[in-house]
Amino acid sequence: MRSAAAFTLVEILASILLFSMGVMGIIAVIAHGLSTASRAQSEATAWATASAVLKDPLPMGCEADATTGDLRRWTWSKSGATWTATEAGGSGEVVWRYTTWATNTSADILHPDMGDPKANNPAVFPPSGAPSAGCASGWLNGYYVERREQSRAADRIGDGVRLVEVRVDVYWAGYVGSDGRPLASLVDRYIRQDAP
Amino acid sequence: MRRPSSGMTLIEILVASALGVLVIALTWTTFTRAKATVNRATARVNLHQSAAVLQDAFERDFGNLAPALAMFVVSAPAATATTRSEDVSVVFMRSVAPLDKQATQGVNDRYLADHMWVRWRYSRSWELIDGTWKVTASALKRSSSSPMRLWNTNNTLTVSPAVIDPKGGASKGNYGGTQWLNLPRPLRDASGGLASLDFNRYGLPATAISADTPVGDIGDLADLDANEQIASTQILDFQFGWLRADGGAEAADGRNPAVHNIDGLYMDVVGPDNGRYLDARQDPVASPPGAVLQVAQPQYDYRPVLGARPRLVRIAFRLKDQATQVDQVFSFSIPVPGQMPPVDQPSP
């Protein structure tokens, strides 16, 4: 007849180890589920963000004042053809850039990666510099956003009227600088017309 | 011969206890941090979900904004020594599906309006508590007109001339003892301000307190008050902006007083009849001239009105989860119908 009546040290340690692994496993499952849910839920605002920037390359971005929490609109400035927005809180951080282009130009306004863009392509969005004509990038609604607008000379309908193609890609903030795929992408065409 | 197992020695118990405490402490710390992370992530998901719902509602309303009708943007702060309030209202008419049976009333179904007033209103209140200003209420609210307003009266009612004609006109007599019906009335002339919505009211004086308990009619603005519902209480701040058709940019934040009464497109004949008719007469003196729809009548140059109309609205707001203090600023831009002719590239 077996006379053992208690756990050994090894058994205790093994039990603790198994318990810890179980807890960690549960946490990992929860974290993974949360990440998936977060991504799925955020796709709604990512798409809405893309939809907004598609029509408006100069969005009314704001940040919360660090002291009062009040919304303060970005501070805009224009140098040459490029609009630049900085946070109004004094940090001076650039949060948005957009380079306009002349609708009546006879030249093509094309971007090499329009069909398969990569985030932060330095050929289109040079670091700390002006984006290519018709392009905008920046931070909005917690996402990193890139907007490309192109038009061929043959797309000119008349003076100051031409067909343009616009593409907006919205990225998770953590994917910027990596090879991450956009969370939402929108491509549309519309007619741009200058003021008479 | 193996020693019969009879339990751990003191040393083993101490070691096991120490390791157990260490592992449990690490596990508990990890669990606590994971829980906090989960709570913050859940709160952020909820904020995005709330923002998506609001954006969808904004897009449905502003995407159906009636370009020919008046629009009002009012920013009205107020303050006393110990209280402050901020209020920004955006009021406009939007088209709705006329077959929506939102208020089925038998034979009167056919009178359902296909244009309704919509009001988005953000209000925030502050109170000076122990020397510090604190937000005591903050909410985004939405209201829309009742599809129709019905009531009965046994009294002789005096109809306001403004009901018959906003520019004045003859009363149409006694309608006592009949069932009354009224619909939200479109306005193109915004010069009367937001209060002019209440001109559309039968049975003066109105003593109704809500659309459900009418004694006489209530005006379109009072109807909006009666139908107001809270759209979000997570909101802490709100800004409304719009890009004008002439390229200018406007904004209202509730902190700075401002009144924008924006006329509807195609305001018609100038002079004493201005605002009376709902047709689309053109300006014959414009270059090039528009089509002259009524010969020998003075026509209205609609270009200034067109230039002041919004072609894109911009909405920014901040949502905050009070439990975790997670917050996020959102900004959306929504094109509105009728932006013609297109103008230059937008400015911020």
PDB file of all heavy atoms in Angstrom, chain A residues 71, chain B residues 58 88 90 120-122 140 235-240 252-255 315-318:
ATOM      1  N   LEU A  71     -10.933  71.496 -27.884  1.00  0.00           N
ATOM      2  CA  LEU A  71     -10.446  71.260 -29.241  1.00  0.00           C
ATOM      3  C   LEU A  71      -9.811  72.535 -29.781  1.00  0.00           C
ATOM      4  O   LEU A  71     -10.377  73.623 -29.639  1.00  0.00           O
ATOM      5  CB  LEU A  71     -11.599  70.844 -30.156  1.00  0.00           C
ATOM      6  CG  LEU A  71     -12.096  69.407 -30.037  1.00  0.00           C
ATOM      7  CD1 LEU A  71     -13.181  69.162 -31.058  1.00  0.00           C
ATOM      8  CD2 LEU A  71     -10.963  68.421 -30.236  1.00  0.00           C
TER       9      LEU A  71
ATOM     10  N   PHE B  58     -24.246  61.911 -39.402  1.00  0.00           N
ATOM     11  CA  PHE B  58     -23.902  63.183 -40.062  1.00  0.00           C
ATOM     12  C   PHE B  58     -24.028  63.047 -41.580  1.00  0.00           C
ATOM     13  O   PHE B  58     -24.574  63.915 -42.254  1.00  0.00           O
ATOM     14  CB  PHE B  58     -22.464  63.592 -39.723  1.00  0.00           C
ATOM     15  CG  PHE B  58     -22.260  64.020 -38.302  1.00  0.00           C
ATOM     16  CD1 PHE B  58     -21.094  63.693 -37.628  1.00  0.00           C
ATOM     17  CD2 PHE B  58     -23.219  64.767 -37.640  1.00  0.00           C
ATOM     18  CE1 PHE B  58     -20.895  64.090 -36.317  1.00  0.00           C
ATOM     19  CE2 PHE B  58     -23.028  65.171 -36.329  1.00  0.00           C
ATOM     20  CZ  PHE B  58     -21.865  64.823 -35.674  1.00  0.00           C
ATOM     21  N   VAL B  88     -23.672  75.395 -29.810  1.00  0.00           N
ATOM     22  CA  VAL B  88     -23.588  75.595 -31.251  1.00  0.00           C
ATOM     23  C   VAL B  88     -24.683  74.746 -31.901  1.00  0.00           C
ATOM     24  O   VAL B  88     -24.820  73.563 -31.602  1.00  0.00           O
ATOM     25  CB  VAL B  88     -22.184  75.252 -31.799  1.00  0.00           C
ATOM     26  CG1 VAL B  88     -21.753  73.846 -31.450  1.00  0.00           C
ATOM     27  CG2 VAL B  88     -22.129  75.478 -33.289  1.00  0.00           C
ATOM     28  N   VAL B  90     -26.714  73.762 -35.592  1.00  0.00           N
ATOM     29  CA  VAL B  90     -26.721  73.749 -37.056  1.00  0.00           C
ATOM     30  C   VAL B  90     -28.104  73.270 -37.481  1.00  0.00           C
ATOM     31  O   VAL B  90     -28.510  72.156 -37.136  1.00  0.00           O
ATOM     32  CB  VAL B  90     -25.641  72.805 -37.613  1.00  0.00           C
ATOM     33  CG1 VAL B  90     -25.617  72.884 -39.134  1.00  0.00           C
ATOM     34  CG2 VAL B  90     -24.279  73.137 -37.039  1.00  0.00           C
ATOM     35  N   TRP B 120     -28.629  69.759 -35.432  1.00  0.00           N
ATOM     36  CA  TRP B 120     -27.554  69.180 -34.623  1.00  0.00           C
ATOM     37  C   TRP B 120     -27.118  70.264 -33.641  1.00  0.00           C
ATOM     38  O   TRP B 120     -26.852  71.402 -34.039  1.00  0.00           O
ATOM     39  CB  TRP B 120     -26.373  68.748 -35.489  1.00  0.00           C
ATOM     40  CG  TRP B 120     -26.614  67.449 -36.195  1.00  0.00           C
ATOM     41  CD1 TRP B 120     -27.086  67.283 -37.460  1.00  0.00           C
ATOM     42  CD2 TRP B 120     -26.418  66.133 -35.664  1.00  0.00           C
ATOM     43  NE1 TRP B 120     -27.192  65.941 -37.757  1.00  0.00           N
ATOM     44  CE2 TRP B 120     -26.786  65.219 -36.676  1.00  0.00           C
ATOM     45  CE3 TRP B 120     -25.965  65.631 -34.449  1.00  0.00           C
ATOM     46  CZ2 TRP B 120     -26.707  63.833 -36.497  1.00  0.00           C
ATOM     47  CZ3 TRP B 120     -25.890  64.255 -34.268  1.00  0.00           C
ATOM     48  CH2 TRP B 120     -26.256  63.373 -35.293  1.00  0.00           C
ATOM     49  N   ARG B 121     -27.053  69.911 -32.407  1.00  0.00           N
ATOM     50  CA  ARG B 121     -26.771  70.912 -31.386  1.00  0.00           C
ATOM     51  C   ARG B 121     -25.817  70.330 -30.343  1.00  0.00           C
ATOM     52  O   ARG B 121     -26.070  69.261 -29.773  1.00  0.00           O
ATOM     53  CB  ARG B 121     -28.080  71.328 -30.719  1.00  0.00           C
ATOM     54  CG  ARG B 121     -27.934  72.368 -29.633  1.00  0.00           C
ATOM     55  CD  ARG B 121     -29.301  72.625 -29.010  1.00  0.00           C
ATOM     56  NE  ARG B 121     -29.229  73.615 -27.960  1.00  0.00           N
ATOM     57  CZ  ARG B 121     -30.221  73.850 -27.107  1.00  0.00           C
ATOM     58  NH1 ARG B 121     -31.347  73.159 -27.205  1.00  0.00           N
ATOM     59  NH2 ARG B 121     -30.098  74.750 -26.178  1.00  0.00           N
ATOM     60  N   TYR B 122     -24.734  71.055 -30.136  1.00  0.00           N
ATOM     61  CA  TYR B 122     -23.798  70.652 -29.080  1.00  0.00           C
ATOM     62  C   TYR B 122     -23.855  71.693 -27.976  1.00  0.00           C
ATOM     63  O   TYR B 122     -23.779  72.901 -28.234  1.00  0.00           O
ATOM     64  CB  TYR B 122     -22.372  70.545 -29.603  1.00  0.00           C
ATOM     65  CG  TYR B 122     -21.378  70.309 -28.487  1.00  0.00           C
ATOM     66  CD1 TYR B 122     -21.341  69.083 -27.837  1.00  0.00           C
ATOM     67  CD2 TYR B 122     -20.525  71.305 -28.048  1.00  0.00           C
ATOM     68  CE1 TYR B 122     -20.466  68.853 -26.791  1.00  0.00           C
ATOM     69  CE2 TYR B 122     -19.650  71.100 -27.003  1.00  0.00           C
ATOM     70  CZ  TYR B 122     -19.626  69.863 -26.381  1.00  0.00           C
ATOM     71  OH  TYR B 122     -18.776  69.645 -25.333  1.00  0.00           O
ATOM     72  N   LEU B 140     -24.170  66.032 -27.283  1.00  0.00           N
ATOM     73  CA  LEU B 140     -24.520  66.307 -28.670  1.00  0.00           C
ATOM     74  C   LEU B 140     -25.939  65.794 -28.885  1.00  0.00           C
ATOM     75  O   LEU B 140     -26.245  64.654 -28.533  1.00  0.00           O
ATOM     76  CB  LEU B 140     -23.549  65.607 -29.619  1.00  0.00           C
ATOM     77  CG  LEU B 140     -23.804  65.808 -31.111  1.00  0.00           C
ATOM     78  CD1 LEU B 140     -23.591  67.252 -31.520  1.00  0.00           C
ATOM     79  CD2 LEU B 140     -22.898  64.891 -31.934  1.00  0.00           C
ATOM     80  N   ILE B 235     -19.210  62.879 -25.714  1.00  0.00           N
ATOM     81  CA  ILE B 235     -18.560  63.973 -26.419  1.00  0.00           C
ATOM     82  C   ILE B 235     -18.156  65.065 -25.439  1.00  0.00           C
ATOM     83  O   ILE B 235     -18.895  65.404 -24.521  1.00  0.00           O
ATOM     84  CB  ILE B 235     -19.500  64.498 -27.517  1.00  0.00           C
ATOM     85  CG1 ILE B 235     -18.747  65.358 -28.517  1.00  0.00           C
ATOM     86  CG2 ILE B 235     -20.684  65.236 -26.928  1.00  0.00           C
ATOM     87  CD1 ILE B 235     -19.525  65.568 -29.799  1.00  0.00           C
ATOM     88  N   LEU B 236     -16.959  65.594 -25.621  1.00  0.00           N
ATOM     89  CA  LEU B 236     -16.475  66.630 -24.721  1.00  0.00           C
ATOM     90  C   LEU B 236     -16.289  67.973 -25.420  1.00  0.00           C
ATOM     91  O   LEU B 236     -16.181  68.996 -24.764  1.00  0.00           O
ATOM     92  CB  LEU B 236     -15.142  66.209 -24.088  1.00  0.00           C
ATOM     93  CG  LEU B 236     -15.234  65.285 -22.891  1.00  0.00           C
ATOM     94  CD1 LEU B 236     -13.873  65.129 -22.234  1.00  0.00           C
ATOM     95  CD2 LEU B 236     -16.225  65.806 -21.866  1.00  0.00           C
ATOM     96  N   ASP B 237     -16.184  67.953 -26.725  1.00  0.00           N
ATOM     97  CA  ASP B 237     -16.057  69.212 -27.444  1.00  0.00           C
ATOM     98  C   ASP B 237     -16.484  68.963 -28.888  1.00  0.00           C
ATOM     99  O   ASP B 237     -16.475  67.818 -29.361  1.00  0.00           O
ATOM    100  CB  ASP B 237     -14.623  69.735 -27.386  1.00  0.00           C
ATOM    101  CG  ASP B 237     -14.557  71.245 -27.547  1.00  0.00           C
ATOM    102  OD1 ASP B 237     -15.600  71.857 -27.857  1.00  0.00           O
ATOM    103  OD2 ASP B 237     -13.471  71.807 -27.372  1.00  0.00           O
ATOM    104  N   PHE B 238     -16.829  70.063 -29.572  1.00  0.00           N
ATOM    105  CA  PHE B 238     -17.419  69.927 -30.902  1.00  0.00           C
ATOM    106  C   PHE B 238     -17.127  71.186 -31.703  1.00  0.00           C
ATOM    107  O   PHE B 238     -17.215  72.294 -31.176  1.00  0.00           O
ATOM    108  CB  PHE B 238     -18.940  69.740 -30.750  1.00  0.00           C
ATOM    109  CG  PHE B 238     -19.704  69.624 -32.041  1.00  0.00           C
ATOM    110  CD1 PHE B 238     -19.865  68.396 -32.664  1.00  0.00           C
ATOM    111  CD2 PHE B 238     -20.277  70.736 -32.631  1.00  0.00           C
ATOM    112  CE1 PHE B 238     -20.578  68.283 -33.851  1.00  0.00           C
ATOM    113  CE2 PHE B 238     -20.995  70.631 -33.812  1.00  0.00           C
ATOM    114  CZ  PHE B 238     -21.141  69.397 -34.422  1.00  0.00           C
ATOM    115  N   GLN B 239     -16.761  71.017 -32.937  1.00  0.00           N
ATOM    116  CA  GLN B 239     -16.575  72.159 -33.820  1.00  0.00           C
ATOM    117  C   GLN B 239     -17.218  71.842 -35.159  1.00  0.00           C
ATOM    118  O   GLN B 239     -17.109  70.715 -35.658  1.00  0.00           O
ATOM    119  CB  GLN B 239     -15.088  72.434 -34.021  1.00  0.00           C
ATOM    120  CG  GLN B 239     -14.367  72.771 -32.728  1.00  0.00           C
ATOM    121  CD  GLN B 239     -13.331  73.858 -32.898  1.00  0.00           C
ATOM    122  OE1 GLN B 239     -13.178  74.426 -33.967  1.00  0.00           O
ATOM    123  NE2 GLN B 239     -12.615  74.147 -31.823  1.00  0.00           N
ATOM    124  N   PHE B 240     -17.880  72.852 -35.702  1.00  0.00           N
ATOM    125  CA  PHE B 240     -18.539  72.677 -36.992  1.00  0.00           C
ATOM    126  C   PHE B 240     -17.963  73.692 -37.974  1.00  0.00           C
ATOM    127  O   PHE B 240     -17.886  74.888 -37.667  1.00  0.00           O
ATOM    128  CB  PHE B 240     -20.047  72.893 -36.851  1.00  0.00           C
ATOM    129  CG  PHE B 240     -20.811  72.726 -38.135  1.00  0.00           C
ATOM    130  CD1 PHE B 240     -21.138  71.460 -38.591  1.00  0.00           C
ATOM    131  CD2 PHE B 240     -21.170  73.820 -38.898  1.00  0.00           C
ATOM    132  CE1 PHE B 240     -21.818  71.291 -39.787  1.00  0.00           C
ATOM    133  CE2 PHE B 240     -21.860  73.667 -40.089  1.00  0.00           C
ATOM    134  CZ  PHE B 240     -22.180  72.401 -40.535  1.00  0.00           C
ATOM    135  N   ALA B 252     -17.654  77.284 -36.515  1.00  0.00           N
ATOM    136  CA  ALA B 252     -18.360  77.688 -35.298  1.00  0.00           C
ATOM    137  C   ALA B 252     -18.040  76.668 -34.219  1.00  0.00           C
ATOM    138  O   ALA B 252     -18.052  75.459 -34.467  1.00  0.00           O
ATOM    139  CB  ALA B 252     -19.869  77.746 -35.544  1.00  0.00           C
ATOM    140  N   ASP B 253     -17.713  77.183 -33.021  1.00  0.00           N
ATOM    141  CA  ASP B 253     -17.267  76.270 -31.969  1.00  0.00           C
ATOM    142  C   ASP B 253     -18.059  76.382 -30.672  1.00  0.00           C
ATOM    143  O   ASP B 253     -17.769  75.681 -29.714  1.00  0.00           O
ATOM    144  CB  ASP B 253     -15.783  76.491 -31.674  1.00  0.00           C
ATOM    145  CG  ASP B 253     -15.473  77.932 -31.273  1.00  0.00           C
ATOM    146  OD1 ASP B 253     -16.428  78.699 -31.040  1.00  0.00           O
ATOM    147  OD2 ASP B 253     -14.287  78.286 -31.210  1.00  0.00           O
ATOM    148  N   GLY B 254     -19.018  77.290 -30.629  1.00  0.00           N
ATOM    149  CA  GLY B 254     -19.796  77.433 -29.403  1.00  0.00           C
ATOM    150  C   GLY B 254     -19.149  78.349 -28.385  1.00  0.00           C
ATOM    151  O   GLY B 254     -19.789  78.787 -27.446  1.00  0.00           O
ATOM    152  N   ARG B 255     -17.867  78.622 -28.540  1.00  0.00           N
ATOM    153  CA  ARG B 255     -17.172  79.478 -27.579  1.00  0.00           C
ATOM    154  C   ARG B 255     -17.157  80.937 -28.018  1.00  0.00           C
ATOM    155  O   ARG B 255     -17.008  81.830 -27.204  1.00  0.00           O
ATOM    156  CB  ARG B 255     -15.738  78.980 -27.382  1.00  0.00           C
ATOM    157  CG  ARG B 255     -15.658  77.657 -26.670  1.00  0.00           C
ATOM    158  CD  ARG B 255     -14.233  77.343 -26.248  1.00  0.00           C
ATOM    159  NE  ARG B 255     -13.430  76.836 -27.338  1.00  0.00           N
ATOM    160  CZ  ARG B 255     -13.401  75.573 -27.711  1.00  0.00           C
ATOM    161  NH1 ARG B 255     -14.139  74.691 -27.082  1.00  0.00           N
ATOM    162  NH2 ARG B 255     -12.636  75.168 -28.704  1.00  0.00           N
ATOM    163  N   ILE B 315     -16.659  68.470 -39.611  1.00  0.00           N
ATOM    164  CA  ILE B 315     -17.101  68.280 -38.228  1.00  0.00           C
ATOM    165  C   ILE B 315     -15.968  67.641 -37.438  1.00  0.00           C
ATOM    166  O   ILE B 315     -15.415  66.621 -37.851  1.00  0.00           O
ATOM    167  CB  ILE B 315     -18.353  67.381 -38.172  1.00  0.00           C
ATOM    168  CG1 ILE B 315     -19.503  68.031 -38.934  1.00  0.00           C
ATOM    169  CG2 ILE B 315     -18.757  67.118 -36.729  1.00  0.00           C
ATOM    170  CD1 ILE B 315     -20.666  67.115 -39.172  1.00  0.00           C
ATOM    171  N   ALA B 316     -15.617  68.272 -36.333  1.00  0.00           N
ATOM    172  CA  ALA B 316     -14.599  67.703 -35.444  1.00  0.00           C
ATOM    173  C   ALA B 316     -15.188  67.586 -34.051  1.00  0.00           C
ATOM    174  O   ALA B 316     -15.937  68.455 -33.616  1.00  0.00           O
ATOM    175  CB  ALA B 316     -13.351  68.579 -35.424  1.00  0.00           C
ATOM    176  N   PHE B 317     -14.869  66.506 -33.395  1.00  0.00           N
ATOM    177  CA  PHE B 317     -15.361  66.320 -32.029  1.00  0.00           C
ATOM    178  C   PHE B 317     -14.404  65.432 -31.263  1.00  0.00           C
ATOM    179  O   PHE B 317     -13.608  64.700 -31.847  1.00  0.00           O
ATOM    180  CB  PHE B 317     -16.785  65.735 -32.022  1.00  0.00           C
ATOM    181  CG  PHE B 317     -16.947  64.463 -32.806  1.00  0.00           C
ATOM    182  CD1 PHE B 317     -16.798  63.233 -32.207  1.00  0.00           C
ATOM    183  CD2 PHE B 317     -17.257  64.501 -34.157  1.00  0.00           C
ATOM    184  CE1 PHE B 317     -16.954  62.054 -32.930  1.00  0.00           C
ATOM    185  CE2 PHE B 317     -17.424  63.338 -34.897  1.00  0.00           C
ATOM    186  CZ  PHE B 317     -17.263  62.114 -34.279  1.00  0.00           C
ATOM    187  N   ARG B 318     -14.506  65.522 -29.957  1.00  0.00           N
ATOM    188  CA  ARG B 318     -13.633  64.752 -29.082  1.00  0.00           C
ATOM    189  C   ARG B 318     -14.492  63.854 -28.207  1.00  0.00           C
ATOM    190  O   ARG B 318     -15.415  64.328 -27.540  1.00  0.00           O
ATOM    191  CB  ARG B 318     -12.798  65.697 -28.218  1.00  0.00           C
ATOM    192  CG  ARG B 318     -11.897  65.016 -27.203  1.00  0.00           C
ATOM    193  CD  ARG B 318     -11.103  66.059 -26.431  1.00  0.00           C
ATOM    194  NE  ARG B 318     -10.385  65.447 -25.318  1.00  0.00           N
ATOM    195  CZ  ARG B 318     -10.417  65.895 -24.067  1.00  0.00           C
ATOM    196  NH1 ARG B 318     -11.127  66.963 -23.776  1.00  0.00           N
ATOM    197  NH2 ARG B 318      -9.747  65.289 -23.120  1.00  0.00           N
TER     198      ARG B 318
END
